[in-house]
Amino acid sequence: MLDISTLKGKTAIITGSTSGIGLGIAQGFADAGINIVINGFGSDEQIEEAVSSVKSCGVKAIYNGADMTKPEQIAEMVNAVAEEFGSVDIVVNNAGIQTVAPVTEFPENRWDAIIAINMSSAFHMVKAALPHMHKNNWGRIINISSAHGLVASPYKSAYVTAKHGITGFTKTVALEEARSGVTCNAICPGYVFTPLVEGQIADTAKARGLSEEEVINDVLLAAQWTKKFVTVEQLAGTALFLCSDAAENITGVSVPVDGGWTSA
Ligand code: NAD
């Protein structure tokens, strides 16, 4: 039987948790009794709804709007959380953006933003959080990578580059922290129907000359052998397992949750 009761009362910062996968993980963690820091952008109502839905599980929850392109805001958030909650136990590096375009037309500012948000922010978060984890000889770092951290697809050069970078960063941090009680792993989802995926359907249709329905069936789910979108609840469950004592000896791995995509 998987015991996650030891996670009760720990504190997790989940970047990009105002929507999609991050919000799903925040809800799963709050259900397990973990205090939550919601981060990301959104309307006042969206942020308020995210905070109150996790609070309804009886945990402490706050919002911090640190911009993942700004290293100083990331460090300030981590230190403010340590002060308010007394520790930073779990970090989920989840914030991410996407642009779909051929390399020859890829906008430079989108390349820079994707590398900053999807890759470099994980480095800044981990650098700021590790000293707090070391105080308790315990920590869990979970990087939300992607099947695109293991294999490529055309027209996603910046995203694939950033996610492959996360795979390497995950392994390196795992080795450096192997004896500190801190594990570092990545989760590599296939397609999850979130606003990020919804938003790229039209662009992919344009880039490939397909209808939006063809993009869903023949592009998004083409490689997903189960022919089912991954759910945020399944990702929250995977993240909780990686935080549990059962996963103490699992570190440096990239766990595909992709309906068989990267096995083919
Ligand atoms: P989403 O668009 O629903 O959520 C992205 C979150 O990141 C939002 O909360 C947004 O406000 C936040 N964010 C964006 N820029 C930010 C910034 N500068 N600073 C702080 N927060 C910022 O997307 P999602 O689908 O839930 O994706 C979450 C993560 O999962 C991403 O890293 C994405 O690459 C990864 N992923 C998604 C899928 C999928 O199919 N949806 C598949 C594999 C991996």
Side-chain angles (χ1 to χ4, degrees):
M1 176 74 100
L2 182 65
D3 180 13
I4 53 167
S5 64
T6 49
L7 300 176
K8 220 172 163 154
K10 304 247 187 239
T11 296
I13 303 176
I14 303 158
T15 70
S17 47
T18 50
S19 113
I21 294 170
L23 182 56
I25 291 176
Q27 274 161 346
F29 277 19
D31 268 340
I34 299 169
N35 298 319
I36 304 292
V37 180
I38 296 281
N39 160 265
F41 302 145
S43 64
D44 290 350
E45 294 79 40
Q46 189 182 357
I47 291 164
E48 178 47 40
E49 210 180 298
V51 173
S52 57
S53 91
V54 293
K55 267 188 179 163
S56 71
C57 300
V59 298
K60 273 175 72 179
I62 59 165
Y63 169 73
N64 185 299
D67 181 341
M68 290 301 118
T69 64
K70 306 269 188 313
E72 63 290 351
Q73 290 188 21
I74 295 172
E76 276 166 26
M77 170 170 71
V78 171
N79 293 331
V81 169
E83 193 148 315
E84 175 145 3
F85 289 84
S87 64
V88 176
D89 306 302
I90 302 167
V91 163
V92 181
N93 291 308
N94 167 78
I97 58 169
Q98 176 64 288
T99 291
V100 179
V103 171
T104 47
E105 290 163 29
F106 211 91
E108 279 77 6
N109 63 345
R110 292 300 291 175
W111 172 278
D112 291 343
I114 290 170
I115 297 298
I117 297 168
N118 296 16
M119 188 179 80
S120 301
S121 72
F123 157 69
H124 298 297
M125 281 290 298
V126 167
K127 186 175 180 187
L130 276 174
H132 299 290
M133 294 176 172
H134 290 162
K135 284 182 199 154
N136 297 324
N137 302 313
W138 194 93
R140 292 288 185 266
I141 297 162
I142 297 181
N143 298 320
I144 303 303
S145 179
S146 166
H148 286 120
L150 303 169
V151 294
S153 291
Y155 313 121
K156 295 184 176 178
S157 54
Y159 189 86
V160 170
T161 301
K163 296 298 188 182
H164 274 66
I166 284 291
T167 303
F169 181 62
T170 301
K171 291 180 183 177
T172 308
V173 174
L175 297 185
E176 290 183 21
E177 293 301 318
R179 296 184 184 193
S180 72
V182 178
T183 67
C184 179
N185 293 293
I187 297 176
C188 298
Y191 281 102
V192 191
F193 204 78
T194 66
L196 182 139
V197 165
E198 213 175 341
Q200 66 186 273
I201 291 173
D203 290 347
T204 306
K206 192 171 157 221
R208 295 192 181 218
L210 299 172
S211 72
E212 295 197 4
E213 204 182 328
E214 284 170 326
V215 170
I216 292 175
N217 293 321
D218 304 340
V219 180
L220 301 187
L221 295 181
Q224 219 142 295
W225 285 66
T226 54
K227 294 295 164 202
K228 285 179 182 163
F229 281 106
V230 177
T231 68
V232 296
E233 290 78 12
Q234 290 162 355
L235 297 173
T238 308
L240 277 170
F241 166 65
L242 290 173
C243 289
S244 72
D245 290 347
E248 190 181 75
N249 257 311
I250 299 177
T251 194
V253 303
S254 292
V255 182
V257 184
D258 65 2
W261 176 346
T262 54
S263 298

